[in-house]
Amino acid sequence: MLENLKSKINQIENSFNLIVNDIDSKEMINKVKVQFLGKKGEIAELYKILKDLPLEEKKIAGQLIQSLERNIEEKIEDIEQQLDKKEFEKILQNEWIDVTLPSEFFKTRPLFSGHLSPISSFIHKIQDIFLSLGFTIADGPQLENEYYNFTALNIPENHPARDLQDTFWMTNGLLLRTHTSPIEVRMMQKLSAPLKLIAPGRVFRNEATDASHENTFYQIEGLMIDKDISVSNLTYFTKIMLSQLFETDVKVRLRPGYFPFVEPGFELDFECLICHGKGCPVCKNVGWVELVGCGLSHPEVLKEGGIDPEKWSAFAFGLGLNRLVMMKYAIDDIRWFESGDLRFFYQF
Ligand code: FA5
């Protein structure tokens, strides 16, 4: 009986080897699978014979059948993978697209030529203003660590001020920066005093959105470290910037504001240019839009940046760029910026 079974195993192996190299399609694979591995296939038949063998022979025969079954399965799997690869290569050859071609959208608008987004062009304008005033342009990572985003800015772990700026945390402990202020300490450590810089960039907040709040927006940080810096230096530079940007007299007001990294701290608001102070969804019906957080740098922050607060003083501000652009172009909802809707950008 055992010899009989062995010769059957050989026969099956030979007939599989004869056809295996000719398999060139999924259909053929399926056929071969049914023929050899199916419920009523050749291997299943062998197992049926196995049942009637005496125990000793059963062991030997069982191992032989299993090894044949494994061989067939492995070979079929190999061929399946090769076929998949071939199919994918075929798709790649036939269905590739040239992502650099102009889209259908632009074909219907032949006069459209690309241009900067209003955010970028405002960044350039503000950079030009501050470069002419002797400031440096700085940059920092959007994916920040806790130290620069909070701790170095006098917001220790568990301090309630961390709740004011909730953010998105990565599994590795890094976070999407909530403001451009981390660049301040990075630059203090790198460049030391005296220092005059602005740092534009994208920031993120985990908060509900509305007409004036986004989870992704832009800020411009300003920092000036020198001898005897006071609030008048701060108001002078912010006023120069606003009057040059708007080329008109913009009404601003300064009110006390709390930021752990400045002392004293202020919020600079300006009169809503969409409703001219009457009240609308953008200014939440108060007639003023909160634009800049600012103040005189806290001694602890200067120390963290390696700067002696006995010798040097500084002002810092963080300006909400989207809101500034909204005022300039009377944009009634901040969510347009991240909407990806080209009809919006097409207007500038
Ligand atoms: C800050 O981010 C501080 N880092 C600013 C600062 C810098 C203070 C240096 C002192 C010294 P605040 O969270 O207020 O502060 O944000 C600053 C500005 O960003 C706001 O005045 C506002 O114009 C804008 N802003 C804040 N949150 C949002 C939001 N969710 N959507 C759009 N703009 C926002």
Side-chain angles (χ1 to χ4, degrees):
M1 278 289 262
L2 182 61
E3 288 314 306
N4 209 352
L5 192 90
K6 276 184 181 169
S7 90
K8 271 214 157 80
I9 290 177
N10 278 339
Q11 268 174 25
I12 295 175
E13 196 166 19
N14 289 339
S15 70
F16 177 74
N17 286 340
L18 267 180
I19 55 169
V20 71
N21 291 329
D22 294 333
I23 301 178
D24 60 359
S25 69
K26 285 264 161 103
E27 291 78 37
M28 217 169 149
I29 273 208
N30 287 338
K31 265 192 197 163
V32 173
K33 265 187 183 169
V34 174
Q35 182 185 341
F36 289 92
L37 303 172
K39 267 188 189 163
K40 292 180 186 165
E42 314 256 16
I43 302 280
E45 288 303 316
L46 290 179
Y47 279 118
K48 273 186 202 160
I49 303 173
L50 186 73
K51 272 196 301 194
D52 305 325
L53 290 185
L55 191 64
E56 273 311 296
E57 293 186 356
K58 222 182 221 170
K59 269 190 196 163
I60 302 166
Q63 278 172 1
L64 290 173
I65 301 173
Q66 270 175 1
S67 120
L68 173 68
E69 190 179 16
R70 249 198 319 273
N71 276 345
I72 293 180
E73 278 170 354
E74 277 168 11
K75 274 196 182 141
I76 287 184
E77 216 168 276
D78 254 18
I79 295 167
E80 264 176 335
Q81 278 175 7
Q82 282 167 25
L83 283 177
D84 282 346
K85 207 171 145 202
K86 265 190 203 156
E87 204 170 307
F88 185 66
E89 275 162 6
K90 217 161 121 193
I91 293 174
L92 276 186
Q93 276 198 343
N94 296 332
E95 296 184 14
W96 68 277
I97 51 160
D98 183 350
V99 289
T100 63
L101 284 177
S103 78
E104 291 298 315
F105 177 87
F106 296 114
K107 279 191 192 155
T108 56
R109 290 166 174 78
L111 289 179
F112 185 87
S113 58
H115 62 71
L116 292 176
S117 86
I119 294 282
S120 302
S121 68
F122 255 65
I123 289 177
H124 290 186
K125 276 183 200 156
I126 295 172
Q127 282 180 349
D128 282 349
I129 295 170
F130 278 97
L131 280 171
S132 75
L133 295 167
F135 281 60
T136 306
I137 314 291
D139 198 7
Q142 293 180 20
L143 199 57
E144 246 313 346
N145 61 41
E146 219 177 320
Y147 168 74
Y148 283 112
N149 200 80
F150 293 119
T151 320
L153 294 171
N154 201 24
I155 318 176
E157 207 178 334
N158 302 323
H159 192 285
R162 286 205 177 186
D163 294 344
L164 297 173
Q165 299 187 359
D166 191 14
T167 186
F168 303 94
W169 293 83
M170 307 294 122
T171 44
N172 62 3
L174 294 178
L175 53 95
L176 290 180
R177 68 178 177 199
T178 55
H179 49 179
T180 40
S181 300
I183 303 172
E184 286 186 24
V185 177
R186 282 184 176 275
M187 290 301 135
M188 286 180 204
Q189 290 172 348
K190 214 173 197 173
L191 304 172
S192 195
L195 184 58
K196 285 199 287 185
L197 63 83
I198 60 158
R202 186 160 31 190
V203 300
F204 310 84
R205 303 266 171 108
N206 184 9
E207 61 181 41
T209 62
D210 60 29
S212 57
H213 290 85
E214 249 297 12
N215 51 36
T216 303
F217 58 101
Y218 289 80
Q219 285 188 343
I220 294 198
E221 195 74 12
L223 174 70
M224 178 171 181
I225 309 176
D226 214 315
K227 299 265 160 78
D228 305 321
I229 292 291
S230 72
V231 176
S232 40
N233 298 105
L234 168 66
T235 41
Y236 172 77
F237 282 104
T238 42
K239 258 192 180 162
I240 283 206
M241 176 189 62
L242 291 175
S243 59
Q244 291 207 11
L245 274 178
F246 285 90
E247 294 161 352
T248 165
D249 194 25
V250 183
K251 272 195 202 156
V252 296
R253 70 177 187 188
L254 211 57
R255 58 191 166 87
Y258 171 66
F259 303 97
F261 33 99
V262 287
E263 180 58 44
F266 307 99
E267 303 263 14
L268 186 137
D269 304 337
F270 74 93
E271 194 183 67
C272 182
L273 297 181
I274 294 180
C275 62
H276 297 285
K278 288 192 198 87
C280 70
V282 171
C283 62
K284 297 219 178 83
N285 294 317
V286 290
W288 294 89
V289 177
E290 181 194 309
L291 180 74
V292 187
C294 51
L296 298 184
S297 299
H298 196 289
E300 287 304 320
V301 176
L302 292 176
K303 273 192 222 159
E304 209 62 50
I307 288 166
D308 182 355
E310 299 294 329
K311 277 198 202 151
W312 303 95
S313 47
F315 75 70
F317 65 80
L319 174 147
L321 192 58
N322 299 57
R323 293 190 184 166
L324 197 68
V325 177
M326 286 169 81
M327 291 298 118
K328 176 80 177 179
Y329 296 109
I331 296 166
D332 60 359
D333 198 314
I334 194 170
R335 289 165 290 196
W336 281 114
F337 290 103
E338 297 294 317
S339 68
D341 191 332
L342 286 176
R343 290 170 308 176
F344 169 69
F345 291 102
Y346 192 51
Q347 301 171 72
F348 299 97

